Amino acid sequence: MSNNIWNHISQQFHIPFTNPVLIFTLILFIILLSPILMAKIRVPGIVGFIVAGIIIGPYGTNLLTKNAAVELFSTIGLLYIMFIAGVELDMAGFKAKKHKSLLFGLFTFAIPIIIGFPVCYWLLGYPLLTSLLTASMFATHTLVAYPIVSRYGVSKNEAVAVTVGGTILTDTAVLIILAVIIGANNGGLTPAFWFQLIVSLIIFTLIVVLLVPYIAKRFLAIPEKEKTTHYVFILTCLFFSAFLSQLAGLEPIIGAFIAGLALNRLIPRPSALMKNIDFVGNAIFIPFFLISVGMVVNLHVLFAGWEAIVVAISLTIVALAGKWLAAFFTQQIFKYSNTQRKLMFGLSSSHAAATLAIILIGYKQHIIDANILNGTIILILVTCMVASFATEPAAKQIALSLEDNKSDSSYENPIKQVNV
């Protein structure tokens, strides 16, 4: 009898874990404990999730593998980040500052490519298409640190609006370049290729920007009998838009972000619906995504030889330098504060999902080699940590400034009333 019990227990804890209940329990323990432990050593919680992913992932203790369930929750978390970024964007401020977003988008797209292509082509000696694809990877970034901004309540700061607006511009441009490079690699840059790409983009935009808000406006106007109805509808719009984006030949993150923009004015910030969106995302899906990012990091590649180390260091330096210069030039032109520049750099410096998508597609297409693939994994770990460390103090400082301004205003108001 005791042997049977012991065999049953040992089966449940066989590595890697396969029991879905145990897997979800482990993830919840990490989501619960990681922020608490990181706070004690003054490290952003996002870093804790990524480090935890490294430890439990296939290149660490191998407790978890990137199975279908992990991939599903990871994808949901990534799309959630992009969707919340679109929903929380101050559209009035964005429209008033759209030229600034366009300029930052141009900087954060062009500068990394201008720096990265010579490094890949001449310094590392890679072929033309490989260098172009790798350089375009430097231009993209993922808003991994955005939950920090949201948590501190500074998402409506102009620097955040400009950065988020620039994000969608540069990521869209990079993903279109990816489609073109893949087409060139397959010898398919024909008139038919360009026609299909342009037509699919137009159809996607019309559906998400015009049709989805039209339906949402009427559905959300109906008083909900159950608290979950409106939330489930918003989720449906999010994933439907992401799927349409895939059909159009783009990454789902583009569709998720545009869905957030399209529904922005229909979801007021103080509403119960917005609170539900924030709560579920920050409690489950977004931490799950950050843990999954850590699971793809293989620190053993650093010991694969000097060439892998040189490539990893070169890619990481170029990626961070390009994003820092983009934030610096934007600060100089628009006279932002040093804190706003740090916030822009922190938000735009992390490479994760879009970068992985580009590199993995290029690897499968035999455009890039294993050294770039492994170097990119190290780049993801370093840039996500740098982004968290840069964003946290900047967001905190801006939040404190807002509180000071409110305090000053509340102190002055009574005096003004007496004088009147």
Side-chain angles (χ1 to χ4, degrees), residues 402-417:
L402 291 175
E403 288 296 324
D404 291 340
N405 290 337
K406 288 180 181 179
S407 299
D408 291 342
S409 299
S410 62
Y411 177 76
E412 292 172 1
N413 283 339
I415 298 177
K416 291 180 180 179
Q417 290 174 358

Side-chain angles (χ1 to χ4, degrees), residues 12-273:
Q12 299 302 313
F13 289 94
H14 183 269
I15 296 176
F17 296 157
T18 56
N19 186 324
V21 178
L22 179 59
I23 292 174
F24 201 66
T25 302
L26 175 62
I27 294 295
L28 289 179
F29 266 118
I30 293 173
I31 294 174
L32 174 65
L33 298 177
S34 180
I36 298 174
L37 295 176
M38 292 299 104
K40 291 184 178 297
I41 58 176
R42 298 176 181 257
V43 174
I46 287 178
V47 175
F49 291 135
I50 296 174
V51 171
I54 296 174
I55 294 173
I56 68 172
Y59 303 110
T61 57
N62 196 33
L63 296 180
L64 293 186
T65 59
K66 292 278 283 187
N67 55 34
V70 173
E71 288 286 355
L72 174 62
F73 276 89
S74 172
T75 301
I76 293 173
L78 170 60
L79 297 180
Y80 229 102
I81 287 177
M82 296 303 295
F83 179 74
I84 290 178
V87 169
E88 291 188 345
L89 183 64
D90 183 1
M91 291 303 293
F94 176 72
K95 290 178 181 178
K97 310 294 182 183
K98 59 184 177 182
H99 62 288
K100 297 184 178 181
S101 288
L102 288 170
L103 187 60
F104 176 72
L106 176 63
F107 283 155
T108 197
F109 170 75
I111 293 176
I113 292 179
I114 291 172
I115 298 175
F117 179 79
V119 170
C120 295
Y121 190 68
W122 281 296
L123 181 62
L124 299 179
Y126 283 108
L128 178 63
L129 281 183
T130 303
S131 300
L132 283 174
L133 183 61
T134 308
S136 68
M137 174 268 292
F138 295 133
T140 188
H141 55 261
T142 302
L143 296 171
V144 167
Y146 189 84
I148 296 176
V149 170
S150 181
R151 187 174 73 250
Y152 278 100
V154 297
S155 59
K156 293 188 180 300
N157 186 275
E158 181 177 310
V160 177
V162 169
T163 305
V164 173
T167 297
I168 192 61
L169 294 173
T170 188
D171 279 3
T172 301
V174 168
L175 294 170
I176 292 175
I177 288 177
L178 173 64
V180 173
I181 291 176
I182 297 301
N185 186 61
N186 297 330
L189 292 184
T190 62
F193 166 83
W194 292 108
F195 177 79
Q196 179 181 352
L197 180 63
I198 293 172
V199 170
S200 60
L201 283 173
I202 292 174
I203 295 174
F204 161 74
T205 303
L206 290 175
I207 292 175
V208 176
V209 175
L210 298 179
L211 182 59
V212 170
Y214 176 82
I215 297 174
K217 184 177 181 180
R218 279 146 185 79
F219 188 91
L220 295 177
I222 303 173
E224 55 177 337
K225 296 180 181 179
E226 299 179 8
K227 292 183 178 180
T228 58
T229 305
H230 286 175
Y231 177 74
V232 173
F233 174 78
I234 293 299
L235 279 186
T236 304
C237 293
L238 160 60
F239 290 102
F240 176 68
S241 300
F243 177 68
L244 286 180
S245 180
Q246 276 189 314
L247 290 181
L250 299 174
E251 284 296 307
I253 55 176
I254 302 299
F257 183 82
I258 294 178
L261 292 179
L263 298 175
N264 182 288
R265 60 187 177 86
L266 301 177
I267 308 176
R269 180 63 183 162
S271 66
L273 178 58

Side-chain angles (χ1 to χ4, degrees), residues 1-11:
M1 178 66 71
S2 60
N3 287 336
N4 290 336
I5 295 175
W6 175 251
N7 289 335
H8 174 72
I9 294 176
S10 62
Q11 277 185 342

